[in-house]
């Protein structure tokens, strides 16, 4: 959605020159094609995106040296520049969503606020909430990067970091949940639940803000994903569309599944109760699971039956169903 505001309330940032090559964690190089910065005249080309960018102050700042050398952010900006050149009709959208910002956190807050706004949850308010949480939480800063890397690496439909940030509702719903989860832990449960409701309405993904979800997560397609209050999803898990991590309806307290790291949960799989899906396990599409699954085990069917063990250490990374 477009945010309409007056030019007097605008504060857009000029894109900076980026380096040609940055280092990823582990020493792997991330190649960045060196592009000439785009010459934007904001007041003429982008008047409808003026509102929604908070003033720069100490409470809403991030280390400029980190932003300047963040390989994910550098890649996203370069991709956005190339997309703007190929599709001029999207240039204002790409500038307002990515190229006007100085870090991934600010761009993501802008994108999420515009997706989730409604007449009573204003985009300006939402952006302030998202940005203040992300800027102050280094865990979220790390997670939003590992998650976008997971989408880029594991989803063949995701052709760029930029497309995940702008268009993939699995990524949007996951990062919105992360903000709601932080608010829940701060004791702001009412606001967290309001965000949960809006996330479910807009993205078709219902994740309780008290659920605990690790990093490097892929929600592929994401439509119909339901994750209950006491569910735990560890690092590097991939969940397809329609997955339910729910309760049986007969339990109180800790009543939702625990999914080990590296597990792969197939489309429309239903996992019920306080059970454990072991590390590196795979649940086949359409299965109904109500018993523990051993590490690296494979289950399928209604009800699910054990059918063997996975060869891969982390099936979530190979995405072989």
């Amino acid at each position: 959605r477009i945010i309409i505001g007056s030019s007097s309330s605008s504060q857009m940032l000029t894109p900076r020159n980026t380096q040609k090559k940055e280092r990823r964690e582990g020493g792997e190089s991330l190649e960045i094609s060196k592009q000439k910065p785009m010459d934007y005249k904001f007041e003429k080309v982008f008047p409808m995106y003026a509102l929604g960018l908070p003033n720069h102050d100490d409470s809403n700042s991030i280390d400029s040296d980190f932003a300047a050398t963040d390989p994910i952010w550098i890649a996203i900006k370069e991709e956005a520049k190339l997309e703007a050149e190929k599709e001029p009709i999207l240039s204002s959208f790409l500038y307002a969503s990515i190229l006007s910002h100085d870090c991934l956190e600010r761009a993501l807050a802008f994108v999420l606020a515009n997706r989730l706004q409604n007449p009573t949850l204003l985009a300006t308010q939402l952006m302030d909430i998202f940005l203040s949480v992300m800027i102050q939480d280094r865990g979220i800063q790390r997670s939003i990067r590992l998650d976008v890397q997971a989408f880029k690496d594991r989803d063949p439909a995701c052709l760029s970091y930029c497309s995940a940030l702008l268009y993939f509702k699995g990524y949007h719903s996951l990062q919105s949940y992360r903000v709601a989860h932080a608010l829940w832990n701060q004791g702001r449960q009412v606001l967290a639940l309001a965000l949960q409701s809006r996330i479910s309405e807009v993205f078709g993904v219902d994740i309780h803000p008290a659920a605990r979800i690790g990093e490097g997560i892929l929600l592929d397609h994401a439509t119909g994903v339901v994750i209950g209050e006491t569910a735990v999803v560890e690092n590097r898990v991939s969940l397809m569309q329609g997955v339910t991590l729910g309760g049986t309806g007969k339990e109180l307290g800790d009543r939702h599944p625990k999914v080990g790291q590296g597990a792969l949960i197939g489309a429309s799989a239903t996992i019920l109760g306080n059970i454990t899906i072991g590390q590196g396990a795979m649940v086949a599409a359409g299965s109904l699971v109500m018993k523990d699954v051993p590490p690296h085990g494979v289950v399928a069917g209604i009800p699910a039956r054990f059918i063997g063990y996975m060869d891969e250490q982390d099936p979530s990374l190979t995405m072989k169903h």
Side-chain angles (χ1 to χ4, degrees), residues 168-223:
F168 280 50
K169 69 177 182 179
Y171 184 71
H172 294 163
S173 58
L174 184 58
Q175 307 323 314
S176 302
Y177 147 79
R178 293 195 186 284
V179 172
H181 180 68
L183 294 171
W184 182 274
N185 289 337
Q186 293 171 12
R188 303 175 72 182
Q189 283 90 350
V190 173
L191 179 55
L193 291 171
L195 281 178
Q196 177 197 3
S197 176
R198 187 63 182 149
I199 293 164
S200 178
E201 182 181 356
V202 173
F203 301 129
V205 176
D206 194 347
I207 306 175
H208 195 284
R212 291 180 289 157
I213 299 179
E215 54 195 19
I217 304 298
L218 171 63
L219 300 184
D220 197 349
H221 295 289
T223 302

Side-chain angles (χ1 to χ4, degrees), residues 265-279:
I265 313 298
S268 298
T270 299
I271 305 171
L272 300 179
N274 185 13
I275 62 175
T276 299
I277 308 299
Q279 177 178 337

Side-chain angles (χ1 to χ4, degrees), residues 12-25 30-33 35 40 53 56 62-82 93-112 127 131 134-135 141-142 144-149 152 160-166 171:
M12 304 299 273
L13 303 175
T14 303
R16 301 174 180 173
N17 292 329
T18 56
Q19 301 178 11
K20 187 173 182 181
K21 182 184 290 187
E22 295 296 338
R23 287 284 176 182
R24 283 184 184 166
E25 187 176 347
L30 177 65
E31 296 289 344
I32 304 296
S33 59
Q35 302 291 325
Y40 292 104
L53 293 174
H56 293 283
I62 194 166
D63 190 296
S64 58
D65 291 336
F66 170 73
T69 57
D70 175 8
I72 297 287
W73 178 234
I74 292 171
I76 288 172
K77 289 194 296 182
E78 291 297 328
E79 291 164 355
K81 291 176 186 178
L82 293 175
F93 168 68
L94 292 166
Y95 180 80
S97 301
I98 293 176
L99 296 172
S100 65
H101 303 289
D102 60 355
C103 63
L104 177 56
E105 287 75 12
R106 203 175 297 277
L108 179 58
F110 182 89
V111 170
L112 296 180
M127 183 162 178
L131 187 57
M134 288 190 285
I135 290 298
Q141 293 171 22
R142 174 183 169 90
I144 64 177
R145 289 166 172 81
L146 291 176
D147 291 342
V148 78
Q149 187 70 57
K152 177 68 166 55
S160 65
Y161 299 105
C162 179
S163 62
L165 173 62
L166 293 176
Y171 184 71

Side-chain angles (χ1 to χ4, degrees), residues 26-46:
E28 181 184 355
S29 296
L30 177 65
E31 296 289 344
I32 304 296
S33 59
K34 197 168 186 178
Q35 302 291 325
K36 184 179 179 181
M38 303 181 73
D39 185 18
Y40 292 104
K41 294 187 180 301
F42 172 74
E43 66 278 4
K44 293 183 179 180
V45 185
F46 312 107

Side-chain angles (χ1 to χ4, degrees), residues 295-309:
H296 308 289
V298 181
V299 296
I302 302 176
R305 295 180 297 173
F306 177 78
I307 60 175
Y309 288 95

